[in-house]
Amino acid sequence: MAISPKARPYLLVAAVALAVAGVLVARVPGPPEPTPTAAPTTTGTPPVVDARGGPGAGDPYYPEDGNTGYDVSAYDVTIGYDPATRKLDGKALITAVATDDLSRFNLDLHRLAVSEVAVGGVPAGFSQEGDHELVVTPAAPVRKDEEFVVTVVYGGEPTLIEDRALGRNGWQVSASGGAFAAGQPHSATTWFPANDTPRDKASFKLTARVPDGWSVVSNGVEEGSSQEGGWTTFRWHAPQPLATYLATVAIDKWTIDRSTLPDGTPVVDAYAPGALGAREDQRRLPEVLAFLADKYGPYPFRSAGGIFLSDNIGFSLETQTRPVYAGWADLETIVHENAHQWFGDSVSLRSWADICLNECFASYAQWQWAEAKEGVDLDARYRAEIDRTDDSAEYWNRKLYDMGRGNEFRGVYDKGQLAVHALRRLLGDEAFDRVLRTWTAEHRDGNASWPEFEAHVEQASGQDLDAFFGAWFRGDELPPDEHLWPGGLRR
């Protein structure tokens, strides 16, 4: 994620307020809970055992996000949306494997009404609790290690989730009258049911029907479109594992440019009315991806591109294979969001305390680009920033790892750049590049934590770096001189 330059000065104040409030996301109270439907009974089925999946995946900052008891392998989502009425109807097929015996389990869905649920093609009981829990009771228990398919039919008017630090997240109506979905840590469940935790990545397929004249862009590879009865249906498929917050749908009267990277990877760029000015920067995408691949290893996905809004939302987001860009986005933002395709998308965080794995490295990619393409002296930039901030307790008291709920985005964009540059100078360029390339290769399509990264760097470099990591990433003070000025950084 890249934050609007206008929003950055206010992040610190907002984050402090959030820490006091103890919540990053303010959810709007949901509709009255529907009466649970009765699960059908079938003669001869095994007795229901009291084996329930949990209503939260256990992230320390967002313990109610996601669920336990199963592992999703694929989402196949079909939606219809009419911009005139702002109504959405949906049907989701969720393929998963049970990790425990399950007499019931949960999915996450934000304030959309469910009308039918089936497990393995058999109608199931269900209830909606709070503003995002869908509790499913299959007709017969799902046994551990069994693959099963959950079908959920749902609909309503999607609503956004208010984020006090970053503004509106999730489903949003665009200035043109279309709609798009983007945000973190929550977004996907404002428009389809999911196991909403980055820990459970899955492939993603979207079939979206809109009135003729509108078009739909999403993640992955285009799989064609068709027209019938005044409606057009668009199909997209992202076959590689995707964290739910990285799924997107964007509905507008797009201008679409199609091209390929030198290796044949398809590129789809979509520009909302009023956003064509971004074309000049986006035409450099092949150059950007080639530069990043040289630093971090081969581009990890089978498609690429961008979705350019005319809306000046508070952030751009690294939605997998096809970032969503705010109206203010520039070339530096394109570098940042595409660096996330390695750091955040291919290698996803395990918990939100690990956000530096995403943002510190995507932010440092901007420095690397400036060094290579604009001749910027990064050592001089580093020294100037230290001189500017060395007496600012407010600047240095922002942890980069395990910073606390509500503080995830306080330091990762600026202090994070300094920390990564200090690490580079400590290791030397050759070792630094090797560490990053082996990291992205070893964890491709998976999840990882910050402590795992620290262990990886120490093993790859053969150095004991506990004190360095403690000072820069776990600490909340100006690092001591031995860590502040590694590798000849001092003048």
Side-chain angles (χ1 to χ4, degrees):
M1 176 183 284
I3 304 299
S4 164
K6 292 182 179 180
R8 288 173 186 158
Y10 305 102
L11 276 176
L12 181 59
V13 173
V16 171
L18 286 171
V20 173
V23 61
L24 178 61
V25 176
R27 298 185 186 268
V28 181
E33 298 177 11
T35 302
T37 63
T41 58
T42 305
T43 303
T45 57
V48 175
V49 294
D50 188 20
R52 303 179 178 185
D59 187 296
Y61 295 175
Y62 304 97
E64 295 181 358
D65 286 4
N67 308 280
T68 59
Y70 61 92
D71 179 36
V72 178
S73 60
Y75 293 99
D76 187 346
V77 177
T78 299
I79 63 170
Y81 182 75
D82 187 349
T85 64
R86 300 185 180 181
K87 298 294 186 182
L88 178 146
D89 59 81
K91 180 178 181 179
L93 278 65
I94 303 162
T95 302
V97 173
T99 57
D100 293 299
D101 290 338
L102 295 174
S103 60
R104 80 175 201 180
F105 57 89
N106 288 32
L107 289 163
D108 302 306
L109 182 64
H110 183 74
R111 301 192 70 206
L112 290 169
V114 174
S115 57
E116 298 176 36
V117 177
V119 177
V122 179
F126 66 90
S127 63
Q128 291 185 261
E129 300 178 358
D131 63 355
H132 74 107
E133 294 289 352
L134 171 61
V135 183
V136 178
T137 305
V142 179
R143 301 305 183 185
K144 183 178 181 180
D145 299 325
E146 178 183 346
E147 183 177 81
F148 61 102
V149 177
V150 185
T151 302
V152 181
V153 180
Y154 61 99
E157 183 172 343
T159 55
L160 55 82
I161 298 172
E162 292 284 0
D163 183 307
R164 295 180 185 177
L166 300 175
R168 298 178 169 189
N169 281 200
W171 189 276
Q172 301 186 51
V173 175
S174 59
S176 63
F180 61 93
Q184 67 175 349
H186 310 96
S187 174
T189 56
T190 61
W191 62 287
F192 70 93
N195 189 22
D196 197 22
T197 170
R199 301 178 186 187
D200 193 1
K201 300 170 68 170
S203 66
F204 179 74
K205 184 178 290 188
L206 176 67
T207 302
R209 186 173 62 101
V210 291
D212 289 347
W214 297 90
S215 56
V216 180
V217 182
S218 185
N219 310 84
V221 179
E222 282 185 293
E223 293 194 334
S225 62
S226 58
Q227 289 181 291
E228 182 179 357
W231 292 74
T232 306
T233 299
F234 298 84
R235 300 171 185 86
W236 295 86
H237 185 206
Q240 291 159 276
L242 171 151
T244 48
Y245 80 93
L246 298 172
T248 191
V249 60
I251 300 164
D252 217 315
K253 297 181 178 180
W254 301 107
T255 297
I256 295 181
D257 293 341
R258 295 175 177 86
S259 59
T260 60
L261 299 177
D263 65 358
T265 299
V267 177
V268 177
D269 297 318
Y271 302 89
L276 285 175
R279 257 181 170 165
E280 183 177 354
D281 286 336
Q282 181 65 359
R283 283 175 178 149
R284 297 184 70 178
L285 179 64
E287 179 188 0
V288 170
L289 291 177
F291 171 79
L292 296 172
D294 183 62
K295 297 293 184 184
Y296 310 140
Y299 179 64
F301 299 112
R302 302 174 194 172
S303 57
I307 299 170
F308 291 84
L309 309 174
S310 59
D311 301 70
N312 281 314
I313 59 174
F315 60 90
S316 296
L317 186 67
E318 61 272 16
T319 43
Q320 191 158 305
T321 70
R322 196 154 291 112
V324 172
Y325 295 101
W328 48 263
D330 54 12
L331 180 59
E332 189 175 16
T333 310
I334 291 170
V335 172
H336 181 105
E337 302 306 340
N338 281 284
H340 273 307
Q341 303 307 305
W342 286 262
F343 293 94
D345 292 17
S346 177
V347 184
S348 300
L349 49 72
R350 181 162 289 121
S351 298
W352 289 100
D354 303 312
I355 189 66
C356 188
L357 287 175
N358 296 14
E359 300 299 346
C360 292
F361 291 97
S363 297
Y364 190 68
Q366 300 169 224
W367 274 30
Q368 291 178 298
W369 176 267
E371 178 183 42
K373 303 296 183 176
E374 302 164 16
V376 173
D377 182 338
L378 294 188
D379 289 352
R381 176 179 282 188
Y382 176 95
R383 295 183 192 109
E385 186 68 2
I386 296 298
D387 288 344
R388 186 184 71 82
T389 62
D390 63 357
D391 61 351
S392 173
E394 188 176 60
Y395 183 94
W396 291 102
N397 71 2
R398 303 170 299 164
K399 291 184 178 181
L400 297 175
Y401 167 65
D402 199 13
M403 60 289 289
R405 176 174 173 164
N407 299 315
E408 294 94 321
F409 303 104
R410 288 182 63 203
V412 289
Y413 299 108
D414 47 10
K415 182 184 174 184
Q417 290 172 321
L418 297 178
V420 175
H421 190 64
L423 177 63
R424 175 182 167 186
R425 285 291 174 255
L426 178 65
L427 299 178
D429 283 356
E430 182 179 350
F432 178 79
D433 290 344
R434 183 175 66 253
V435 160
L436 297 191
R437 291 174 67 91
T438 54
W439 173 257
T440 58
E442 290 175 11
H443 296 279
R444 181 170 177 163
D445 291 335
N447 295 82
S449 68
W450 182 260
E452 287 176 305
F453 180 76
E454 291 183 352
H456 174 83
V457 176
E458 290 187 329
Q459 182 179 18
S461 67
Q463 300 183 53
D464 181 350
L465 301 176
D466 287 356
F468 176 88
F469 285 125
W472 268 109
F473 294 91
R474 296 169 179 264
D476 56 4
E477 297 178 345
L478 179 72
D481 278 6
E482 63 182 300
H483 304 307
L484 191 63
W485 306 110
L489 267 175
R490 188 186 290 277
R491 291 182 184 87

